[in-house]
Amino acid sequence: MNRRTLLRAAAATVVVTACGSPAATPGGTATKSPSPSPTPLPTGSKATVELANGGSFAFTLRPDKAPQTVGRFVEKSKSGFYNDKIFHRVEDWVVQGGDPLGTGTGGEKVPSEYNDLSFKLGSVGIARGQDPAINNGSQWFVVKKDSTFLDKQYTNFGIVTSGMEVVNAIKIGDKIKTIKIE
């Protein structure tokens, strides 16, 4: 067999392998089965955070702006994941909690979900590390003053509607008793 014939045979084998054997799909091309519909994410319109030391605050959820983020937050809240988690970061402009390790280093990595909501007083967002494409799957925060420098840098998924005075009084180590979703 000469070199040209060998190359043609090899090319034909590659084409048949890539496209499938004509005998495998008589009468035309094969069609793929439709993909199963993804399981709908849990949702809600309001979260009420009760603290172990008393007091509560509520915020509106924005599944229209951050559906994956709201879905994860609702699922974790309903499962009791956040119960007894601490607020590990408290500064003059932010409180942050939800870390399974309590140190600010725990939680899974998930895709970021940026939107056009501005981080005004009481906005609720999701923490992230150095890579802006990756959010933390557990840690969330509330800004205690306008923090528009976070706009389109962090996922905003809600805004406090009552109890901002409770948010302002949170101290490092304060525990979440429960988060109720409506």
Side-chain angles (χ1 to χ4, degrees):
M1 186 180 284
N2 68 29
R3 184 176 177 161
R4 183 174 289 181
T5 305
L6 181 61
L7 288 175
R8 280 188 195 144
T13 302
V14 169
V15 170
V16 169
T17 302
C19 298
S21 165
T25 55
T29 59
T31 56
K32 291 183 179 178
S33 301
S35 301
S37 297
T39 304
L41 291 169
T43 191
S45 60
K46 179 182 173 186
T48 302
V49 180
E50 293 181 45
L51 301 179
N53 63 355
S56 66
F57 62 95
F59 56 93
T60 300
L61 297 167
R62 295 297 304 267
D64 60 318
K65 296 292 186 173
Q68 301 295 316
T69 301
V70 169
R72 278 189 295 276
F73 182 82
V74 166
E75 184 174 62
K76 286 179 184 296
S77 297
K78 286 183 173 182
S79 75
F81 173 86
Y82 290 117
N83 297 356
D84 296 320
K85 299 292 186 282
I86 66 166
F87 286 94
H88 64 274
R89 180 179 181 193
V90 178
E91 297 181 22
D92 67 334
W93 66 278
V94 69
V95 299
Q96 183 172 316
D99 178 5
L101 302 178
T103 62
T105 61
E108 65 278 12
K109 295 177 180 181
V110 298
S112 296
E113 197 171 25
Y114 299 123
N115 55 55
D116 60 355
L117 297 175
S118 185
F119 278 93
K120 300 293 187 180
L121 170 70
S123 293
V124 183
I126 289 291
R128 69 167 177 80
Q130 294 293 335
D131 184 352
I134 304 296
N135 276 349
N136 187 286
S138 304
Q139 297 182 48
W140 56 278
F141 61 86
V142 179
V143 295
K144 300 193 298 185
K145 59 184 173 183
D146 288 353
S147 302
T148 56
F149 62 93
L150 300 175
D151 291 0
K152 297 183 180 157
Q153 302 295 314
Y154 289 80
T155 301
N156 185 327
F157 73 101
I159 189 146
V160 173
T161 54
S162 66
M164 197 62 205
E165 69 283 355
V166 173
V167 173
N168 287 327
I170 291 173
K171 295 183 177 24
I172 290 177
D174 283 354
K175 286 187 178 183
I176 298 167
K177 180 179 178 181
T178 188
I179 301 177
K180 291 186 170 52
I181 303 295
E182 296 176 41

